[in-house]
Each structure stands twice: as structure tokens, then as C-alpha cells.
Amino acid sequence: MRRVLLPLQLDDRTPPPGAAVRELHGLSMGTSWSVRLVDSVLPGRAGSADLQQGLQQQLDLVVAQMSHWQPESDLSRFNRAAPGSWQQLPAAFGEVLGFALQVSQLSGGAYDPCAGALVNAWGFGPWNRYDQPGFRAPDAATVRQLLSQRGHVEFDISTRRVRQPGGVQLDLSSVAKGYAVDRLARYLDSQGIAHYLVEVGGELRGAGCKPDGQPWWVMLEQVDGADAALHPAEMMLALHGLSVATSGDYRRFFHDGTVRYAHTIDPRTGMPLSNDLASVTVVHAQCMAADAWSTALTVLGIEAGMALAEQHGLAARFVRRDGQAYQEYLSSALLALLDD
């Protein structure tokens, strides 16, 4: 049985007569991106080549400011900054860091953009990778040392100035991709394009509808490798003024002997997660929010995560491993989207 999720609010704008779907795509942030948009030939409207270039420039800006893979990005320069120094952040970086710190506070530290040193130690950062020869997982003493040394930044959101306390390694990988989706959507809006589906590395945002009047239908991500008979029934979402992001422990992981280590690190313990959650999906108006909250709720686990989702009205789907099967838990806000 396939279930359907529908937005609570509808935009009554429809594509113009004679409109068609254009598809654009490219590479960025170590993954692929794609845009499907409904357009017609109108005076002053940018052509495909101009749109392609404009969209790529939005993503290039995110990489230049927030990539921890690029040594000359603003984020990398901050991570190397001298202890006690203040850095002026560009606008996009400041917007994303401010939001990430807000989610960190609201989640009680289950989400932390300052935990990059722990991510790196477990082999999920840009160096000392888990999939490279010679990698060794950190021992308990190393984890304790990293936790004791971890600091937190001071951020003046009004001036976008941030203080490096010494040794803090920012990692915005669990929010920057969602922000990139939002940035592409804003760019399309600025070009007068009201009907589109944007995707970056599997995270999506949609607006308007297709030329036939149908919304942009997408399937919520299922657990890779899961037996369909043991997995909750599929959910199909109308991405009409909505975004969706999923955090799953099946994407990146490694085995160290008999232990399986997933890529999501609990910044409170310094250890990879082991709470039986296979995935958390969040539906939100902003993809940046869906991205960050899906990670925070995953770290919190089913009970604390569901409580926080209810407290903040987050539309969330939790999928928990139960032996060989999977159990599904839906927040009230997600249940409200279900088409009965």
C-alpha cells in the first residue's frame, strides 16, 4: 500500500499555456544536483545556458564559504584561525551557522556544528578517511580527549563575527546541502520561475506544479537494502511548497572487527550512533531546516527525538530497526499531511 502526503497550504498559481519542463543538472559538493522547472518563452526570461550558469554559481558560493573539503574556503580558514581571534563571516555562511547553532541549543547539544574534530577522528571528514588504507578508529582515550578539548564558538549574529576559541573545527555538512537546495530555489524565484523541483544529493524542494497540474511527486527515502516486505509501506509526498531531507545510518559506515560504526556522531558522547534508528525524514518549508533537524532527531533517538518533534511541530518520520523488520513512528505534524 502506498500512502500519500499532501501540503496543508496550496498555491493556486498554474503554469502558463504552452509551458514545458526543462531539466538542468550538474555537479557540486561532492554530489550531483538537478533542477526540473516549468517555463515558457517570455520576454526577458533567461535561457537554459544562463540558468545553468546562475544555478551553478549559487552552489559554487556555498562551497567557497562552507566546504570543509576546500582548504581555502571561509570555513577552513576559520578552522585554522588563531585561538581568540574573531572572523568576519560572509552573509551565507553567517546565516547557516546561526541556524545550526540554534538547532544545537534546541536539541540540547545532540546537534553541534562545532564537532568537526570528532567527525574527522572517526574517519568521516576530509582526511584520515575510514575508506582509506591505514585508517584506525579512535580509542576511548582519544575520544575522551577530544571531548575535553572541544570548545564552542561565540557568534554575534548581528555583525556576523565569530570567535575561534582555539581548536574548534566547524563542520556544516549536515546543513549546508539543505541550504544549497534553498539557495537554488531562491534563485529560481528571483528569475520569475514559480514551478520547479530542486534536488542536491537526494535532498529536495518543490514549488508550484507540472504543466499537467500535478504536483511534484517524490517518494520518501527507504532504507537501502531493506526487504520491502519488512519495511513500512512507501510514502509519496507532494512537494508543493515543501522540502524533504533524510538522515540514515545506511549511507556511510564501516566495520571495525564485529562493530558497525555509522557516520552520524553523537557530539555529546563522541561516539557513532547505536540507537537502532535506521532513518529519520523531516518535511519542512526550508530544506536547511529539514536537513539539520533530521540529523538532530536521529541523534536523539526515537523517544527524545519524537518529544522534540512534537514540541516544535516538526513533520518527522522515524524508522527503527526491530530485528530484521522495521517499525515506523510518525509525528503529529506528519500525520496531519497524510491523505485519508
Side-chain angles (χ1 to χ4, degrees), residues 170-191:
L170 290 177
D171 183 344
L172 298 176
S173 56
S174 59
V175 66
K177 190 165 62 173
Y179 174 78
V181 171
D182 291 333
R183 195 167 184 95
L184 293 185
R186 290 182 200 170
Y187 177 74
L188 293 171
D189 291 338
S190 74
Q191 299 301 306

Side-chain angles (χ1 to χ4, degrees), residues 72 94 106 130 135 153 167 223 240 282 286 305:
E72 295 308 313
L106 294 174
Y130 71 94
F135 169 75
V153 299
V223 178
H240 180 88
V282 173
Q286 285 188 307

Side-chain angles (χ1 to χ4, degrees), residues 223-248:
V223 178
D224 283 351
D227 186 335
L230 301 176
H231 197 280
E234 291 181 328
M235 276 190 174
M236 187 165 62
L237 168 65
L239 270 188
H240 180 88
L242 293 173
S243 301
V244 61
T246 297
S247 176

Side-chain angles (χ1 to χ4, degrees), residues 223 225-227 230-231 276-278 319-327 329:
V223 178
D227 186 335
L230 301 176
H231 197 280
D276 296 328
L277 272 181
V319 178
R320 182 178 66 86
R321 288 188 173 86
D322 184 8
Q324 296 299 312
Y326 296 85
Q327 300 294 325
Y329 305 83

Side-chain angles (χ1 to χ4, degrees), residues 78 81-87 154 161-168:
F78 172 82
S85 62
W86 286 86
Q87 308 294 316
E154 297 176 51
R161 295 179 71 245
V162 61
R163 181 179 182 273
Q164 167 64 272
V168 163

Side-chain angles (χ1 to χ4, degrees), residues 14-25:
T14 58
V21 175
R22 276 203 267 170
E23 297 191 20
L24 304 170
H25 54 83

